[in-house]
Amino acid sequence: MSYLRLIQYKMQDWAENIASALNIEIAIADKNLTRIVGTGNFYDKIEENCPKDSLFATVIQSRSPKINLVKGEDCLKCSNFSSCSEFANISYPIVVEEEIIGVISFAAFNEEQTTAMKIKKDEYINILKHTIEMIEREILSIQMTNMLKEDTTEVNEIINCLSKGIILLNCQDEITHINNKAIKMLNMNLSNQQVIGKNIKDFITGIKLQDTGNKDMVDCWKINNKEVKVLYSMNKISLKRGKSSLMISFDLIRDIINLAKTYEEKEKVCFSNMIGKSKPILEAINRARIAANTDSTILIEGESGTGKDLFARSIHNESLRKDGPFIPLNCASIPESLMESELFGYEKGAFTGANVSGKKGKIELAHNGTLFLDEIGDLPLHLQAKLLRVLQDRTIDRVGGARSIDVNIRVISATNKNLIQLVRQGMFRLDLFYRLNVIPIVLPPLRDREEDVLLCAEFIIEKLCKRSNQERKKLSEHVKEFFLKYSWPGNIRELENVLEHAICFCEGKYITLKHLPVYFLENIQNQKVGISEEFYNFHSFPIGENKTLEQLKTEFEKFVIQEMIQIHGNTLDGKKAVAKRLNIGLTTLYRKLNQT
């Protein structure tokens, strides 16, 4: 398995401290040539793969160190040579029990660092050797403490490739395998803490160990005496000789909230995948598609939940910058005290608590790509002037930095506020508004897209059912009627929430009134926009005045039958299906329909 992964976060902290003390940059890659640790210029390349003809590959193949105080023959062979900004480097293989498990490198990126590396070469080499010994001791400690065996390494290798936290238990509920993601989320320390062979309830209090049948469940686990909300599934795995194992797959809810804003993966978000045929949305799509072919600054306006993020991603993915980064930033979600460093980045030592290697800001990360500033109306006034300079000069100054950095970016901003009104109130700069509003695109609310409501609903139902591994649900005719009459103040986001609630409580094939959220039904009743009286009668049914039990029973039967006919259709075949479903004869069905 990739043992380096087990101590990845510890090594990252160590690398940042050493890099700061020695004024160099450090990178560590595993035996698969994947960078798992990086400082400075390497920081943004963590999880990227090094070329197979790179210096790291040479070190692994030769099992020997490489010292390049100038770019030599080994560097010339690398396919990244022309774009590489390293001046010099010293790279050593990481060996544990005669097996190469990775490479560690000290690198210089300027003349000052290169001169220091030449003068202190022997000192740097000694530090590298001591570091490799430290890594070896750490991994051997993990192996001894947790009894990792050679015949289980394939399983560990597989689960470490997964993005979720994974834990495998034996029939005594003892941990047999655990991946790096789970170790991090459970805040474990494998070096001095036995994990393998310990009962899972020693780490997660109150966890319910039962097969969830491939369904994702939500629960609160107590981890380190703190309640944490998780999305998890558990699956029983049959092993040889009648033994079994339980696999727990989980994510912390807080880690996936920002990833669940759209049902489409980033690379699939484009205009051709958008749902809608109404005139307002088609006009917005056509306008955005034309704008995507330019490099102009775009302002997307629309109510909350209308899909501004989706439009921004689609514009990027259909523009000439589609191969560059798409960097989103919600201006309303970052505390004002952190906003400047988040946008513009900072140099090392810029303030107390800063990353010792410095950090690129969102604008710099968007170089050669698109910067998406959501909720731009919430950007603090003092930063609006700095953003204006970025739009005018395409340069930024990091917090604590002494030089300007050129950036090649396209800016797309979005707001659900009236920026002109904010300008009048002195809360938004007029000159910045004009810079942002080069190409305005206004997204229509769902209430102005009546033709699209049911289309969007069907699309969302399909996605939700597929995600939860359920049979595809359908809307009953009454529900369709309500959806078309409702004003949808929360737009698409509210539609998603209503449908997710309905699918959760719908055990059959059709979503009916009883599956909808109470607040939604109350809003419908308050609006009273031409909805049939059956709804109101149904919800006040038990309080009928001056009616006998037999009369109430008859009315209820009739309501149920009419609801079923709405589902199956008011045809002979539909009525036959209703009669079969209710286990009554067709003649009985007609009699009950004709009862007054």
Side-chain angles (χ1 to χ4, degrees), residues 471-476 506-511 515 567:
E471 179 189 11
R472 171 76 180 274
K473 311 290 184 183
K474 293 184 178 180
L475 300 177
S476 72
C506 178
E507 296 179 352
K509 187 175 181 181
Y510 285 89
I511 295 171
H515 302 128
I567 293 172

Side-chain angles (χ1 to χ4, degrees), residues 262-270 273 313 317 463:
T262 176
Y263 291 104
E264 296 291 339
E265 293 88 354
K266 177 182 174 181
E267 61 271 14
K268 292 183 180 179
V269 178
C270 56
N273 289 336
R313 289 186 183 274
N317 288 339
K463 291 292 181 181

Side-chain angles (χ1 to χ4, degrees), residues 357-490:
S357 299
K359 181 183 176 182
K360 290 183 178 181
K362 298 292 188 183
I363 299 175
E364 196 173 346
L365 290 173
H367 183 61
N368 291 329
T370 302
L371 175 69
F372 175 49
L373 298 174
D374 200 4
E375 307 295 356
I376 189 66
D378 290 290
L379 187 69
L381 263 174
H382 73 279
L383 292 181
Q384 292 178 22
K386 294 194 71 172
L387 178 60
L388 183 64
R389 184 198 165 192
V390 174
L391 294 171
Q392 290 173 335
D393 304 335
R394 292 301 195 263
T395 61
I396 63 165
D397 294 323
R398 286 186 181 180
V399 176
R403 62 184 181 88
S404 295
I405 300 172
D406 293 332
V407 288
N408 174 21
I409 59 170
R410 181 198 201 152
V411 176
I412 301 176
S413 54
T415 183
N416 61 2
K417 297 183 177 181
N418 187 326
L419 293 186
I420 289 295
Q421 187 174 346
L422 292 180
V423 169
R424 293 182 184 132
Q425 295 170 353
M427 299 172 64
F428 203 85
R429 294 177 62 109
L430 182 61
D431 47 5
L432 178 59
F433 170 76
Y434 287 129
R435 283 284 181 181
L436 296 173
N437 197 41
V438 177
I439 298 181
I441 296 173
V442 179
L443 302 189
L446 193 55
R447 62 180 171 274
D448 293 341
R449 301 170 52 191
E450 185 176 327
E451 300 167 70
D452 297 335
V453 172
L454 298 183
L455 277 176
C456 292
E458 294 299 325
F459 174 77
I460 294 168
I461 289 171
E462 182 179 355
K463 291 292 181 181
L464 289 171
C465 290
K466 186 176 181 180
R467 189 176 72 184
S468 57
N469 197 28
Q470 294 189 53
E471 179 189 11
R472 171 76 180 274
K473 311 290 184 183
K474 293 184 178 180
L475 300 177
S476 72
E477 294 302 318
H478 277 152
V479 171
K480 288 180 181 178
E481 180 186 1
F482 285 15
F483 277 19
L484 291 174
K485 297 292 185 180
Y486 188 54
S487 64
W488 297 108

Side-chain angles (χ1 to χ4, degrees), residues 27 42 88 124 156 160 240 269 273 443 463 499 589:
F42 294 123
Y124 285 7
N156 285 300
N160 264 309
K240 293 179 181 178
V269 178
N273 289 336
L443 302 189
K463 291 292 181 181
L499 289 171
L589 178 68

